[in-house]
Amino acid sequence: MSMTTRHVLSVGQCGFDHSSISRFLRQAIGARVEPVPSSEEALSALRADPSRYDLVLVNRVFDSGGSGIDLIRSIRQDAALAGVPVMLVSDHQDAQRQAVALGALPGFGKSQLGDPTTADRLKDALACPGGS
């Protein structure tokens, strides 16, 4: 029996990066990735059904403008969303540290997409309760 499909909300990625991230998650984990361009759309999707997404991937700077750090802060301050796993997508270590300090899981940079450590980190974040 196959693992339940994991659903990932990807926020603020440009088209090329969304394609790369989606392909990587589909191949490594079998996850389905849904893109949204902005914090507003991400918060709306999350508030409509907080249990729909197993992980939220947040770009450091949105392609459409906006801050991933600000979105992580908003998610963590919303009692209904505070338990949703979030990761920052950024090669900037200072931004990664800031995201983790706000309650995000350790994330990854786009340059680390093919790295086995990134695949393991994502598999851990998307692990099904009760086993694989």
Side-chain angles (χ1 to χ4, degrees):
M1 183 171 271
S2 67
M3 180 189 287
T4 302
T5 300
R6 310 311 276 166
H7 296 272
V8 176
L9 184 64
S10 179
V11 187
Q13 312 292 342
C14 69
F16 178 83
D17 289 341
H18 170 71
S19 258
S20 299
I21 289 168
S22 293
R23 186 176 326 104
F24 179 75
L25 282 165
R26 187 174 53 253
Q27 291 171 349
I29 302 161
R32 188 179 70 73
V33 182
E34 180 181 324
V36 293
S38 68
S39 290
E40 293 77 18
E41 289 179 71
L43 289 169
S44 177
L46 289 167
R47 288 177 179 141
D49 185 2
S51 65
R52 175 182 168 97
Y53 300 101
D54 301 295
L55 179 65
V56 179
L57 293 178
V58 179
N59 199 4
R60 182 179 64 88
V61 176
F62 300 156
D63 189 48
S64 62
S67 163
I69 296 295
D70 289 344
L71 175 58
I72 291 169
R73 185 177 291 113
S74 295
I75 290 170
R76 288 297 169 250
Q77 290 173 347
D78 185 319
L81 306 179
V84 175
V86 180
M87 273 186 185
L88 185 70
V89 178
S90 175
D91 284 310
H92 296 272
Q93 290 308 307
D94 58 332
Q96 289 290 351
R97 283 189 293 274
Q98 192 177 0
V100 169
L102 288 169
L105 297 168
F108 60 91
K110 293 170 193 144
S111 68
Q112 300 165 315
L113 265 183
D115 190 309
T117 303
T118 301
D120 289 343
R121 188 171 285 175
L122 286 161
K123 286 176 185 174
D124 287 346
L126 291 167
C128 288
S132 58

